[in-house]
Amino acid sequence: EIELTQSPGTLSVSPGERVTLSCRASQSISAGNLAWYQQKPGQAPRLLIYDASSRATGIPARFSGSGSGKDFTLSISSLQSEDFAVYYCQQYNDWPPITFGQGTRLDI
Amino acid sequence: QITLKESGPTLVKPTQTLTLTCSFSGFSLTTTEAAVGWIRQPPGKALEWLGIIHWDDNKRYSPSLKTRLTITKDTSKNQVVLTMTDMDPVDTATYYCAHRGRDGSGTYSPYFDYWGQGTLVTVSS
């Protein structure tokens, strides 16, 4: 089973800042089979990035994903107020099981 | 427009069997490569993948829950059903169903691009 470790657990930032969230896998993830989701309180997760770097439909360009092997990042340029949420990574390279990271919370 | 919605009991007793239904529209589970997955989230905790059912009735389950889970589909009703036996208070969570991701070129992969709103299931006597 591939374990995903996200860091930091919580990040306190200000609107307008650029942030980078990390997701490290316990094994190499080939072909970039990794996705990122945003979840706000009381809502279902929303797909942001798939295949490590492809933005999902309707996702603003300020969200970008990168990485390969074991290390992946989600970057958000110029944080907007609506971006304060919890972010999860998910791998689908070696499954079952499909696994999620424990999440990174972005706080104002 | 793809939509999914979970339905079922909000409260189950320990040792009981949970049955949840995912009703969807905007796609068909008869379409090659289409699939619906189930994911849960205990209050304040991370997401946990439970299983997935594909258009050809191929199913995959979380190894840690495999003995307790069954996923079936009714393509005529556009529904997927999750059954989980021997419920325990630790199974208290919001349960989501979600559509297997499909990119612009039509390639399916097991991320999830559309999610239901989720349904909170509490396990308590």
Side-chain angles (χ1 to χ4, degrees), chain A residues 1 33 35 37 39 42-47 49-51 57 88 90-92 95-103, chain B residues 39 41 45-49 52 54 60-63 96 100 102-104 109-118:
Chain A
E1 172 175 333
N33 291 327
Y37 300 86
Q39 187 178 33
Q43 296 185 17
R46 172 195 183 197
L47 177 68
I49 301 288
Y50 63 93
D51 293 349
T57 302
Y88 294 97
Q90 176 226 321
Q91 70 81 23
Y92 46 97
W95 68 283
I98 289 169
T99 52
F100 292 87
Q102 82 280 17
Chain B
I39 302 99
Q41 185 174 38
K45 296 188 177 181
L47 301 163
E48 179 185 17
W49 176 75
I52 191 168
H54 296 84
R60 293 287 186 266
Y61 298 106
S62 168
Y96 297 99
R100 182 188 189 193
R102 185 181 183 188
D103 66 18
S109 294
Y111 54 86
F112 301 101
D113 54 1
Y114 295 93
W115 294 62
Q117 64 190 21

Side-chain angles (χ1 to χ4, degrees), chain B residues 4-85:
Chain B
L4 305 99
K5 187 174 184 179
E6 308 84 356
S7 60
T10 57
L11 179 65
V12 297
K13 290 180 168 51
T15 76
Q16 286 187 336
T17 295
L18 171 69
T19 300
L20 293 175
T21 299
C22 175
S23 300
F24 58 85
S25 63
F27 69 99
S28 173
L29 262 180
T30 62
T31 299
T32 301
E33 300 289 345
V36 171
W38 286 94
I39 302 99
R40 71 178 179 179
Q41 185 174 38
K45 296 188 177 181
L47 301 163
E48 179 185 17
W49 176 75
L50 301 178
I52 191 168
I53 186 165
H54 296 84
W55 88 104
D56 60 356
D57 212 36
N58 184 13
K59 305 161 193 178
R60 293 287 186 266
Y61 298 106
S62 168
S64 63
L65 294 167
K66 185 176 184 178
T67 60
R68 300 173 53 206
L69 292 174
T70 303
I71 301 175
T72 60
K73 61 180 173 66
D74 184 333
T75 54
S76 66
K77 294 182 179 179
N78 280 350
Q79 291 180 336
V80 170
V81 175
L82 172 77
T83 302
M84 180 179 289
T85 62

